[in-house]
Amino acid sequence: SIAQSNFYGFEKRRDSAIALLQTKTKQDTARVNALVKVINTPSFLKQMKQVEQYSIEALALSRKLNYTKGLAQCYLFYGLMNKASINYPGAHNYFDSTIRAGDNINDSSLLESRAIAHRWKGMIYHEQENYYAALNEFFEALTYYERVPDRNTLYLYTLMSIIYLRLNNIEQATYYAEKDIALAEKGFNKMLQAQSYLQLIEILILRKELSKASFYLDRIQPSMPDSVEVMVNFGYYQKRGQISYLRQQYDSSYAYYEEASRHAQKLGHTINKAS
């Protein structure tokens, strides 16, 4: 399964980082950097707990050396660990410490650490439906991610479009969905492009622009169903079902919804199954 491959991928990454750490015996910034490599290997809370001991040494040594980059990375790790533990006040405190550690220093790795902290703060606010606070954090994160665009930039555009849609600001929701597509089409893979199309398609269906929505669904169609991206499969068939329903093509609408339902069951997401 994907979860298993992520877990075993973690073990390989962790062991490789630990092997590098064992070559850095001097109490200097090179050792801090090697320790940071270890604490950057996990994806889940269970994995984070396995490398927590390395973060303790990294933080103590960074403080002793007054090493700002090391401090920022350690605070980021503790912020992510607290978020994974659903301790949101603790997560905010550590993310704020990450942001302050890199304040007024124009170093690329510190700028990235600050952007990551703002992004995660925004995601916490988004989960709590504190939408204006989330947008403020995402705007801060974009000051970095628009200069160094990657899949996180796409992710931010999608989230901002979703938030503006929930705030009934269709114009801004469309603006960020279109920015998302423009960037996705500049060399990202088909599934990332499909995710960006699905957000705009949702807006177009709300606006009853069904032909335009179908145009973007037709772009996704050759990749459907994807063997890995079950969420994209669900979105594609659900949107096809919506459009057929609005066109009063009930037989095809039912067939698309049945297919969407199969992918929702695979995902196990309650909201998707309910919809």
Side-chain angles (χ1 to χ4, degrees):
S1 73
I2 293 169
Q4 283 178 320
S5 66
N6 278 340
F7 188 85
Y8 292 118
F10 155 69
E11 288 186 339
K12 190 175 178 182
R13 293 192 305 273
R14 181 200 61 199
D15 293 347
S16 173
I18 290 170
L20 173 68
L21 174 64
Q22 287 166 349
T23 69
K24 308 292 181 185
T25 52
K26 284 178 67 179
Q27 297 291 294
D28 58 8
T29 57
R31 182 164 177 84
V32 174
N33 292 339
L35 286 160
V36 164
K37 273 191 166 56
V38 178
I39 66 174
N40 281 343
T41 56
S43 304
F44 309 113
L45 180 60
K46 187 178 176 182
Q47 298 170 351
M48 289 174 188
K49 286 181 175 174
Q50 289 183 36
V51 299
E52 188 178 4
Q53 68 197 59
Y54 298 96
S55 70
I56 295 166
E57 184 189 344
L59 185 60
L61 188 52
S62 294
R63 282 176 173 157
K64 183 181 170 186
L65 299 169
N66 196 24
Y67 184 42
T68 308
K69 287 186 199 178
L71 287 170
Q73 289 288 330
C74 291
Y75 295 146
L76 203 51
F77 173 80
Y78 285 118
L80 291 168
M81 198 167 175
N82 275 270
K83 185 191 181 295
S85 307
I86 325 294
N87 177 6
Y88 291 153
H92 277 304
N93 282 337
Y94 279 113
F95 291 140
D96 288 340
S97 294
T98 306
I99 292 161
R100 283 194 299 271
D103 209 14
N104 301 319
I105 302 173
N106 192 20
D107 175 275
S108 60
S109 70
L110 282 170
L111 291 172
E112 184 178 13
S113 295
R114 290 178 66 193
I116 293 168
H118 281 300
R119 178 164 57 84
W120 282 105
K121 279 174 70 68
M123 285 162 71
I124 292 171
Y125 286 132
H126 178 246
E127 285 172 26
Q128 295 173 325
E129 299 183 3
N130 188 348
Y131 294 134
Y132 291 106
L135 285 172
N136 285 338
E137 297 297 337
F138 292 153
F139 281 126
E140 289 289 343
L142 278 178
T143 61
Y144 172 83
Y145 284 115
E146 286 192 323
R147 287 204 309 272
V148 190
D150 62 11
R151 62 177 55 213
N152 288 313
T153 320
L154 293 175
Y155 190 51
L156 284 169
Y157 287 153
T158 300
L159 281 172
M160 291 170 83
S161 180
I162 289 167
I163 288 173
Y164 278 119
L165 205 52
R166 288 182 181 159
L167 294 171
N168 294 314
N169 188 336
I170 304 291
E171 189 180 334
Q172 284 296 95
T174 305
Y175 173 75
Y176 282 103
E178 287 175 344
K179 278 176 81 76
D180 196 6
I181 288 171
L183 180 58
E185 288 178 342
K186 281 182 180 172
F188 287 92
N189 67 47
K190 292 289 181 191
M191 285 302 104
L192 286 172
Q193 289 177 27
Q195 286 168 17
S196 66
Y197 293 150
L198 285 170
Q199 180 55 25
L200 182 60
I201 289 161
E202 185 171 341
I203 296 164
L204 293 169
I205 291 171
L206 272 176
R207 285 162 44 173
K208 301 291 190 287
E209 295 181 31
L210 303 185
S211 295
K212 199 170 176 185
S214 296
F215 165 79
Y216 282 107
L217 281 169
D218 290 344
R219 288 190 171 187
I220 300 172
Q221 192 273 328
S223 305
M224 291 293 104
D226 186 76
S227 58
V228 176
E229 296 291 344
V230 183
M231 190 73 179
V232 175
N233 296 340
F234 166 77
Y236 171 79
Y237 290 109
Q238 189 218 24
K239 300 288 188 287
R240 283 285 192 206
Q242 276 184 282
I243 290 170
S244 294
Y245 182 84
L246 291 167
R247 286 175 169 163
Q248 300 183 343
Q249 298 163 346
Y250 299 123
D251 286 349
S252 61
S253 175
Y254 191 85
Y256 283 129
Y257 279 142
E258 273 199 314
E259 186 64 21
S261 179
R262 276 194 285 276
H263 292 292
Q265 296 296 333
K266 264 191 211 175
L267 279 166
H269 287 185
T270 308
I271 292 169
N272 292 335
K273 286 193 279 188
S275 74

